[in-house]
Amino acid sequence: MSYFDNETQLLDLLERHQLISASQRALVKARQEPMRQQMLKQRRRKSNHVRPGGVDFLDVLVALGLEMADGLPLSEETVVRLVAKELQLPFKKLDPLDLDLQIVTKTIPRSFAVNHLILPFAMKNGVLEVAIYDPDNRQVLREIERAAQTKVTPYLATKSDITRMLAEFFGFQSSISAAEDRLAGPGPAAVDLGNLEQYVRIAPSGELASTDQHITAAVDHLFNYAFEQRASDIHIEPKKAVSLVRIRIDGVLHTIYKLPKSVHGAIVSRVKTLSRLDIAEKRRPQDGRIRVDREGKQAEIRVSTIPVAFGEKAVLRILDPDILFQDLETMGFSERDFGVYQGFLARPHGIVLVTGPTGSGKSTTLYSTLKTIATPEINVVTVEDPVEMLHEEFNQISVQTQVDVTFSSILRNILRQDPDVIMIGEIRDLDTATNAMQAALTGHLVFSTLHTNDAVSSITRLVDLGVQPFLVGSTLLGAMAQRLVRRICPHCIEDVAADVPLLLGYGFPVVEGEELMLKQGGGCRHCRGTGYFGRCAIFEIFPMSPALQRLTTALAAEAEIRATAIKEGMTTLKMDAWRKVLAGITTFQEAIRVAGVD
């Protein structure tokens, strides 16, 4: 009998540490057998999802949904952590980003790992570190030591973590190994790249080791992995000897796999096939898209391929509708900025510009804005390059330069479509800018983006493109710049004394000698030790006032226009970042990294 199937021992431990009460213990005794039978019946119906080890007492205990004294549910991790502490064993929260694919899959056979719920995860100083579920099964550890000819250090981990990692890593590795074996024979042409479907159902993680083609299964795994880790991008990069797979989480890239170079071409070809790109063309950049259905949820994946020194690199941007379409009130606007932006939306005509570099959240702001104002009484038309996320409430037009459908050319015809609101993906040249101004002058509300460093620079940028200053002053409702800063992880947030001289040196509005307490993330398993979890936006927004209109028409210096905008209430990106630092949303290090210094 495993430790976690010993009912009396486990209940005694939980009651002694006051995680459950005597009445809850009696409830468990009364309901455990019906719950066990119900769970067994459910798992028999879904035989491909049965976890190794059957249903033990801990599974039943967690399924009963007991509440602890603090109101939180009694979880599997809570119980296993307590057992680890009781037995003086280290606990390991398994993070896929920390695991070595070769250590997990090459140290012990898959069947042995699955049968005994054991996961090797690291080799340090000649010692193999292993995650185990049953702390009483020391004989298995001795067998691993004999087979691997090395000392083993056990860590206690949850059954769900171990089984999930075994399925993911062995499923992915077997797909890659099988593909590598086939490619070692006749060559890349022997790999079946599947059909040319554009709409793809990604197989769940548990199905990766089934009868799917090996490359198809490997690519499905990458997609699943990216969704589970909240990734925004997947990079598949050819190097001299390996193929590197990296994913971007909260704006930071993490290396997750180093694959054999021989499978790189087949994986990129599979991605290109799904996105309807030319798999034979490897010398020029290509762009495509994939619409995926993952367990009932749909998302868009934008694909970009480009030739680099060691082959063809593919970057996949994941566009999740839950992220692209948000409530404007929860995006991080201050009360003043939100009021100004709502004022833009209430105007019948004019141009609103959202500025910032790539990856600053402009698309999220614009899509969320359009979704807010789109009603059956309003015709919303967008011109995008390419269309990022399909939405049935908008009439979306994709730029196609090969047939002369460009931002400027389509704007000449778009007014015949009787639009109320027009969104232009980006103003890049004088023709696009002039047509956007004409649309605003003829009674339409126009949204667009510009690549400028701040909000006020958008005025200068339009004039530099060749737009007449008086036209900018009369049609521009206002402009907004934005950036994304990482949020402090809510699970490990803590107080920290501010270094006031350092803050003064960076130009933050603090008083020398004062004691100031700020927030930071200490680092935990939820944020992978980074101290950050998720992101929020910082904004700089101004409305076109009579004073700013006069300065624009008179071709005043940008510094003078900015000073006037600040005088009228505009908060700079740096000051909005500082507000979020004081509110405990982000750290001053993030504010400096994203908003810069004076």
Side-chain angles (χ1 to χ4, degrees), residues 424-435:
I424 305 166
E426 184 184 348
I427 294 178
R428 298 174 178 172
D429 50 42
L430 177 58
D431 280 347
T432 307
T434 301
N435 286 312

Side-chain angles (χ1 to χ4, degrees), residues 329-379:
E329 292 187 30
T330 63
M331 289 179 62
F333 285 104
S334 66
E335 186 177 345
R336 179 263 176 193
D337 289 352
F338 187 60
V340 170
Y341 197 66
Q342 278 191 312
F344 294 160
L345 308 190
R347 299 288 287 275
H349 55 81
I351 293 181
V352 179
L353 294 176
V354 180
T355 74
T358 302
S360 59
K362 299 189 300 296
S363 295
T364 298
T365 298
L366 287 175
Y367 271 111
S368 301
T369 299
L370 295 181
K371 193 172 188 306
T372 299
I373 62 180
T375 64
E377 296 79 29
I378 290 178
N379 180 20

Side-chain angles (χ1 to χ4, degrees), residues 5 36-37 58 85 108 158 163 194 226 238 303 343 452 463 489 495:
D5 211 18
R36 187 188 295 269
Q37 295 306 316
L58 178 56
K85 185 177 180 181
I108 57 177
T158 62
T163 52
V303 178
T452 61
V463 174
C489 175
D495 292 323

